Amino acid sequence: MQPRHGASGRADRRPTDGQAGDGEAVDTLAAALLARGERAISRSFRFHRPRGAMCARGYCHQCKVTTVDGQIGLACQLPATVERKRPGPWGLAQLGIDPLRLPGKVAERLPPWFYERRMRRPAALRQLYLRFMRHLSSAPRLPADAPEIGGPWRERKTDVLVVGGGPAGLAVAAEFASAGREVLLVEHEQLGGSARWLPNESPRVAERVDEAHRAGAALLERTLCLGLYGEERIAACVGPDEVTRLSFRELVVATGAYDRPLIFAGNDLPGIMGGRAFERFLAVRAVPSSSRIGVFGTPEEVERVLSAAEAAGVRVDWVAGPATVPESSVSSFPGTMLVRAHGRRALRAVELAGPGRMPCDVLVLGFTQPTYELQVQAGLLPELEGEPPVIVLQGEARYPLLVVGEAAGWRRVEEIAANSRAAAKRWLAGGESPPRRPPHLPAAG
């Protein structure tokens, strides 16, 4: 029965900006703009279509902006204190006017790379033409000097490399370290992962971090595992101060899942975002209380969004999905599909098959893709399954590989830590890795 919802120290451990799970860990330009009711953060360089924050984690690159001091970055990663330069030439964008939107509409109807393929001659004028096209697209100027990334190189070895510092990664790190293994955990953001934004999970983050730390695991946050290389069991990791060439014996992937968009007309309008992004904005109180909010997704993801919204005191107006939806007091439309999003500069309504046009300022898409990139580099083969399709992995890895948490397709967030701990114990006892059960999405009807 689904619950009902209302309408409404080691030296390697690096300190966080604030207490894990305190709701104040992220204060970004994207969140600040959304809190002011500005869903359109930037415009696409090629077609000058309005763009908003979709993933809030830097995956989609929808929110790229240029600051007034010339810095180029993503609004979801820039601090709220910076001031953006509104996109568009000649300063007219400061008045809300983008004169290049009209040629952008024309370009939308042309085949890809139409201009580039036809304007390559004469060769002597090619670079001049390309520079003009870049200016016409309002693309930012390329930096004259590329900054160094990560600082000096460092060599390091460990028995177990855990990639991902959410509930799954922390639980496995604690178990392996307690068993006497040398464990190094890397997390590209802050320890705790997406659990930091969930009301029922955030209070446990600090406890899980301390448990892994006391067990002897080395914990590195703000450290990105760029990839795995060859048969030698080597990973490249980039932190704020150095780049590490890391040798390991066993690999644990606990990198979670990320929001995935759907294909429908108008799916890029500002105001359309993923469920994980919505949770983050709720946690920093960036969702205006006056917003009309609709949720479309799988039952588990809709349930998760409803719980986060209820805890934040934010009203959800309606929920829908291609299959069933959780029981709630809000208007529900199971077994339907998204047809179109309506709006000019930002989302105003969506059209559902059957119910018709539904007003909303924020549309939350509850669909996720388990991360798969590191597993593919480890030798697994990607395939598409389900409807809508997700990437699932088949085959055998080149070296000992344990995949846990949402990266393995586990959906119930409240069970992830316990299941990951059990998987680690089986692994240490010589058992097999748990099966990878991807979240197959049922078709409508």
Side-chain angles (χ1 to χ4, degrees), residues 46-47 106-120 129 133:
R46 189 173 182 85
F47 300 135
V106 175
E108 287 177 354
R109 301 179 179 273
L110 298 175
W113 308 111
F114 173 84
Y115 292 112
E116 289 83 349
R117 291 176 179 176
R118 286 158 177 78
M119 305 298 288
R120 292 180 294 177
Y129 170 75
M133 287 296 296

Side-chain angles (χ1 to χ4, degrees), residues 77-323:
Q77 296 179 344
L78 292 172
T81 53
V82 304
E83 184 179 353
R84 64 170 172 162
K85 179 182 178 182
R86 292 184 179 272
W90 311 306
L92 293 177
Q94 301 295 337
L95 303 176
I97 302 172
D98 186 354
L100 297 181
R101 177 58 187 138
L102 181 57
K105 288 184 177 181
V106 175
E108 287 177 354
R109 301 179 179 273
L110 298 175
W113 308 111
F114 173 84
Y115 292 112
E116 289 83 349
R117 291 176 179 176
R118 286 158 177 78
M119 305 298 288
R120 292 180 294 177
R121 289 180 174 80
L125 299 178
R126 185 178 303 168
Q127 290 303 316
L128 178 64
Y129 170 75
L130 291 177
R131 283 197 296 269
F132 173 73
M133 287 296 296
R134 184 174 180 83
H135 175 74
L136 193 64
S137 69
S138 289
R141 293 183 178 180
L142 297 175
D145 298 314
E148 292 187 7
I149 299 177
W153 280 85
R154 177 186 179 188
E155 298 283 342
R156 187 166 182 171
K157 295 181 179 180
T158 189
D159 292 336
V160 181
L161 171 61
V162 180
V163 184
L170 290 170
V172 171
E175 286 297 321
F176 275 76
S178 297
R181 304 285 183 88
E182 183 182 8
V183 178
L184 174 63
L185 179 148
V186 296
E187 163 59 43
H188 79 287
E189 294 184 332
Q190 289 182 234
L191 295 173
S194 61
R196 291 181 297 131
W197 315 113
L198 299 176
N200 294 332
E201 294 295 316
S202 60
R204 307 176 189 176
V205 169
E207 177 184 345
R208 289 169 178 158
V209 171
D210 289 338
E211 180 186 12
H213 178 56
R214 290 195 304 269
L219 310 177
L220 297 181
E221 59 184 9
R222 304 192 188 283
T223 299
L224 174 66
C225 180
L226 285 179
L228 311 174
Y229 297 91
E231 305 286 345
E232 302 177 1
R233 306 185 189 185
I234 294 175
C237 299
V238 177
D241 304 315
E242 62 190 14
V243 181
T244 303
R245 184 181 185 270
L246 179 65
S247 300
F248 60 89
R249 295 180 180 178
E250 297 173 300
L251 175 66
V252 178
V253 175
T255 45
Y258 45 77
D259 293 319
R260 56 188 295 260
L262 297 181
I263 299 176
F264 57 93
N267 67 347
D268 61 345
L269 280 172
I272 299 177
M273 64 183 65
R276 301 294 190 271
F278 185 67
E279 290 170 355
R280 289 180 171 227
F281 289 135
L282 285 174
V284 296
R285 299 180 293 279
V287 180
S289 59
S290 59
S291 299
R292 300 171 299 175
I293 301 171
V295 184
F296 184 88
T298 63
E300 294 83 2
E301 292 297 322
V302 172
E303 172 73 17
R304 179 166 164 165
V305 169
L306 285 173
S307 296
E310 183 178 29
V314 173
R315 174 187 174 85
V316 172
D317 292 86
W318 54 266
V319 297

Side-chain angles (χ1 to χ4, degrees), residues 3-6 306 319 326-332:
R4 299 184 65 88
H5 292 272
L306 285 173
V319 297
E327 294 183 11
S328 67
S329 59
V330 304
S331 300
S332 301

